Amino acid sequence: MTKRVREILSYYDSENAGVRSNLARMLNHGKLAGTGKFVILPVDQGFEHGPARSFAVNPPAYDPRYHFQLAIDAGCNAYAAPLGFLEAGAPEYAGEIPLILKLNNHDVLNDEKDPAPAVTASVKDALRLGCAAVGLTIYPGSSAAKTMYQEAREIGAEAKAHGLALVMWSYPRGSSISKQGETAIDVVAYAAQIAAQLGANIIKVKPPTAFIEQPEAKKAYESNKVTLEPLSARIKHVIQSAFDGRRIVIFSGGPKESDEQLINDIRQIHAGGGFGSIIGRNSFQRPKPAAIELLGKIMDIYRS
């Protein structure tokens, strides 16, 4: 085990041996093994956004097995998906890549202003499928946030008691936050802090913009001269907000964009001390050879 992996595991001394072993399992898998960096393939978009919006651009991606093979061929640290997708491929690909079972999900058929995900799988399902971790989404800013926080702590405690690591998608959203505010630096940093306080081992947030949503936060940033440009400075601040870098924070890839723009963002995340990326649509919405090439370039940046 590398010095860097041991250092990261030391951030989680309060966790049991099972959780730490599963964190090590992901940190030591794939092309970034031993570097302390992550590239994870998440495919919850079929549930979250709908099948045509997610897979029509690349029809082979309708098949759950496609994503297992993509994650394996690309050398990802782990593959994350809801129950159905994992059940459809876990027996065939058993032991080939660490799995993260997404335990709650939200759909856009009723695209309410204050979203609340439904619990769609269990810790027992994750154990049955041989997963290394479970994943949960919380929506700070939603009127249902308090219920989500309580569910996250209860489910997280159960998962950890069985040795599974906890990955938290912390996505600010709701009637009390503007659309621009969902990726505001103060809001994203706050979301990372909330996930860390709830016990997340790995935190997933969106790359933040320089916009500041909260008036009181704006005063704090200005009076303390917090640097918000370039993106790498904002990444550094988000990492700082998650226990001063003592929690793993990875950043989403978002909607499909050009290779050049995505690569530029990855360079900024790396320069800011981000632990890696979780790249979904920018992976599986490309033909597999192009996706593997792009993910390889991303991994090269994180390895540098």
Side-chain angles (χ1 to χ4, degrees):
M1 189 177 297
T2 66
K3 181 179 178 181
R4 178 56 178 156
V5 170
R6 288 190 183 279
E7 179 185 10
I8 293 170
L9 292 177
S10 75
Y11 304 160
Y12 300 94
D13 281 346
S14 64
E15 302 291 6
N16 62 45
V19 171
R20 286 159 57 85
S21 293
N22 274 317
L23 286 171
R25 182 177 162 195
M26 291 183 282
L27 282 161
N28 288 318
H29 188 87
K31 292 183 178 178
L32 291 174
T35 64
K37 299 292 185 176
F38 286 86
V39 171
I40 295 173
L41 176 68
V43 191
D44 56 343
Q45 291 82 356
F47 200 130
E48 298 280 338
H49 304 147
R53 283 176 57 186
S54 301
F55 308 130
V57 67
N58 182 26
Y62 281 107
D63 186 338
R65 297 169 300 175
Y66 176 89
H67 305 285
F68 278 87
Q69 197 63 57
L70 173 59
I72 292 165
D73 291 346
C76 292
N77 298 73
Y79 166 51
L83 179 62
F85 256 31
L86 289 196
E87 284 187 327
E92 182 176 345
Y93 293 95
E96 294 195 47
I97 187 167
L99 301 178
I100 302 168
L101 175 60
K102 189 82 184 323
L103 295 188
N104 68 2
N105 290 277
H106 171 260
D107 67 78
V108 296
L109 291 174
N110 178 25
D111 198 13
E112 66 273 35
K113 291 182 179 178
D114 288 287
V119 175
T120 56
S122 68
V123 170
K124 287 184 178 180
D125 290 320
L127 294 169
R128 172 173 57 85
L129 293 168
C131 295
V134 298
L136 290 166
T137 295
I138 58 170
Y139 295 117
S142 170
S143 62
K146 290 181 181 179
T147 299
M148 289 179 235
Y149 298 162
Q150 291 167 357
E151 286 181 347
R153 282 301 300 133
E154 291 169 4
I155 294 173
E158 182 187 0
K160 290 180 180 184
H162 288 89
L164 299 175
L166 177 61
V167 184
M168 201 168 289
W169 281 240
S170 194
Y171 282 178
R173 197 174 299 171
S175 57
S176 61
I177 298 177
S178 69
K179 188 65 179 176
Q180 189 177 13
E182 292 178 4
T183 52
I185 178 61
D186 59 314
V187 176
V188 173
Y190 203 162
Q193 170 78 194
I194 289 169
Q197 295 283 11
L198 287 171
N201 302 126
I202 300 174
I203 299 162
K204 176 190 176 187
V205 292
K206 296 181 180 181
T209 67
F211 177 70
I212 300 173
E213 173 86 350
Q214 305 166 93
E216 291 302 315
K218 187 178 181 72
K219 293 177 186 177
Y221 283 101
E222 291 176 349
S223 64
N224 292 289
K225 297 181 172 58
V226 178
T227 303
L228 300 181
E229 292 291 353
L231 174 58
S232 60
R234 300 193 294 275
I235 296 296
K236 183 177 180 180
H237 177 65
V238 172
I239 299 297
Q240 182 184 41
S241 299
F243 298 177
D244 202 22
R246 293 182 63 82
R247 290 295 178 268
I248 297 165
V249 181
I250 58 178
F251 294 85
S252 65
K256 186 181 176 185
E257 56 187 358
S258 70
D259 288 17
E260 182 180 3
Q261 181 58 55
L262 182 61
I263 290 297
N264 286 337
D265 289 347
I266 298 299
R267 289 196 178 102
Q268 292 286 307
I269 292 168
H270 182 47
F275 285 77
S277 295
I278 182 161
I279 307 287
R281 284 169 285 179
N282 279 288
S283 299
F284 65 74
Q285 289 187 343
R286 285 171 165 80
K288 187 180 285 185
I292 292 172
E293 181 181 1
L294 177 61
L295 289 170
K297 291 178 181 178
I298 291 170
M299 292 173 192
D300 287 343
I301 292 168
Y302 282 129
R303 196 164 34 225
S304 65

